[in-house]
Amino acid sequence: MAKKIFQRPKYLKKAVFHYCPGCGHSILHRLVAEVLEELDIGERTIGIPPAGCAVLAYNYFDVDMGEAPHGRGAAVATGVKRTLPDRIVFSYQGDGDIAAIGTAETIHAANRGENITVIFVNNGCYGMTGGQMAPTTLIGQNSTTTPGGRDVKRDAAPIDLSEMLAIARGSVYIERTAISSPKNIRRTKRALTKAFKTQMAGLGFSLIEVLSPCPVNWKMSPVDAAKWIDDTMTQTFPLKVIKDEVGKLD
Amino acid sequence: MSKKVLMRGSQAIGEAAVRAGCRFYAGYPITPQNELTEYMAEAMDGLNDGTFIQAESELAAINMVIGASMAGARAMTSSSSPGISLKQEGISFLAAQELPAVIVNTMRGGPGLGNIAPSQSDYFQATRGGGHGDYRTIVLAPASGQELADLTRTAFEYADKYRSPVLILGDGMMGQMMEPIVFPEPIDVRTFSPKSWILDGAKGRPSRIILSLLLNPPEQEDLNWRLARKYEIITREIPMSESYMTSDANMIVIAYGTAARIAKGAVKRVRELGLKVGLLRPITLWPFPNRPLKELSRHVREFLVFEMNMGQMIDDVKLALEGRGNVHFYGRPGGIISTPDEIAKTINSIYHRQHLEED
Ligand code: SF4
């Protein structure tokens, strides 16, 4: 009998992603679903999708999903987790959602040490609304609201949300990874696994920031977008474990 | 047997909420309702299945309530006028996602920061939805300590029954007043029948989605129709009001909450002078108790609306009267508390100007 070596993960629905070709969300969704399956937690997981391109995540993840207002993912996740402490709760949020309109909710959830996992997708722009400047847009990067490139004086410098969250006393595990190469994708999956394990062990707030290609708004081919992450985006947002108070988890 | 206890209004809401099975409270400090938040902090602390969170903002508090409600808890938040404005985003989402929740507004003078004195400045905001979108919120307006306790229980029941946010509208005076209260027996939360729609992990069942984004116009229209039908049922089932000395009256005062208590004093006073005046006190502000007003309009010509604002309930009264009768208004906004005497004088002058003593 033929051996199946690649199949749809258990916790992804039989639906076709609406994401643009080369978009990081598709790969990241798959990784999250794989991790939920490998850790055997999908049946007790509640996911909180954001406003933005990934708002339709509830059509893809085959776990209970409850949509949060724009930016409020960490607050909604807090309410779910405190009510059902033995369930696994994650929010999935874009850069505008988490680092602009939802900064306060995120920082305070981290500071309270809420035992939730936050997946922070950083693609340096507002994807769904058509490529406006995000809090994470790089200096000099073009967007529809920074036509000549982001200017520090006019538009401020990009925000290092993950580093800010690492200062929060309640956060225990924060890592920045990327969807840019097989190696970085494997690293992203390892980080996600550790983040969910952190929550399973009841250790506190975990967050994985994922640099993710948005070829459409970057006006690049998927291949160039991946290269741009590795060559340029990581200069501002270096891939690294930003905080680890967890250590090794089985 | 429950016995009478002496308690401040704000705390009575808290105690009644816990007894109604509320197990999640998130709030943010704002005067004049901090006693409620503080009460919930202590009450939840004493329960092994209760959660209290002092949120970083009003927005966070209402969104935590959204999460708790999704997960199946009876959940509550509370604030005062400016704080309720901030919560409106979440209230709109609660309505759209058909999530039960209880929100307490201890109203103060406004607009803007206003002051912290008792007022009824948020009638429009409460009864017209408040947030964005095509929805309604059930609004309960208690007028005494006992009613605060009773209606808090009712609020949680309605929230679950209709899967809707329910607003309790009070003011600082009601919150501060010490009154004897008999509380309903506490409900054992383990006796609640399981909710069929909550998010608690898709074990042995298909996964569920709670959402409000409906990009496809026909789907959005479906939700709007479903909500509209629900609001129709609510409008039929729950309007509540108190009629006081209305049977022989030829003039009716209409007031709710603290204003109704003052108005009742005024009615008693003018009755002593032989004026045939009654009081109609709406207890639900949405849905508005149209029927008793419509019935009164058959034999009453003069109606006086009294509010602690600039006349936000007048429109609803006129709609209920369907053009019959004359609608007068007396109001003191800004946190000024009228005396029964003041209202009695107003009643008196309208009564005589309209020659009602000849009726
Ligand atoms: S706009 Fe960007 S982030 Fe959104 S789906 Fe397309 S590629 Fe992905």
Side-chain angles (χ1 to χ4, degrees), chain A residues 62 64-65 67 72 87, chain B residues 200 205 207-208 210 212:
Chain A
D62 200 2
D64 278 1
M65 297 289 284
E67 166 207 272
R72 319 291 172 227
R87 303 305 199 279
Chain B
D200 57 351
R205 60 160 173 82
S207 57
R208 293 175 185 149
I210 294 181
S212 69

Side-chain angles (χ1 to χ4, degrees), chain B residues 173-224:
Chain B
M173 180 136 141
M174 214 180 290
Q176 289 304 319
M177 225 145 38
M178 294 275 270
E179 288 187 290
I181 297 162
V182 180
F183 284 100
E185 288 299 323
I187 308 176
D188 182 347
V189 291
R190 287 165 306 186
T191 64
F192 286 138
S193 42
K195 296 172 179 172
S196 61
W197 47 266
I198 62 168
L199 306 182
D200 57 351
K203 193 176 166 64
R205 60 160 173 82
S207 57
R208 293 175 185 149
I209 302 173
I210 294 181
L211 53 74
S212 69
L213 178 86
L214 297 160
L215 288 173
N216 187 16
E219 281 177 42
Q220 178 66 53
E221 190 184 36
D222 274 354
L223 171 71
N224 289 126

Side-chain angles (χ1 to χ4, degrees), chain A residues 13 42-48 55-56 58-59 61-70 72 74-84 87 101 104-106 108-109 112 114 128, chain B residues 24 51-57 59-61 63-73 89-90 93 97 198-215:
Chain A
K13 289 177 188 163
E43 293 187 345
R44 58 183 178 108
T45 291
I46 294 108
I48 311 294
V55 63
L56 295 174
Y58 47 65
N59 287 337
F61 286 115
D62 200 2
V63 302
D64 278 1
M65 297 289 284
E67 166 207 272
H70 195 22
R72 319 291 172 227
V76 173
T78 296
V80 175
K81 184 73 184 187
R82 294 282 194 111
T83 302
L84 300 169
R87 303 305 199 279
I101 201 164
E105 286 79 0
T106 311
H108 285 276
R112 285 192 305 269
E114 294 296 340
M128 196 188 218
Chain B
F24 188 96
T51 301
F52 169 88
I53 303 178
Q54 181 170 330
E56 66 272 20
S57 68
L59 264 172
N63 280 284
M64 288 170 186
V65 164
I66 290 178
S69 182
M70 282 178 176
E89 170 194 77
F93 272 73
Q97 300 181 329
I198 62 168
L199 306 182
D200 57 351
K203 193 176 166 64
R205 60 160 173 82
S207 57
R208 293 175 185 149
I209 302 173
I210 294 181
L211 53 74
S212 69
L213 178 86
L214 297 160
L215 288 173

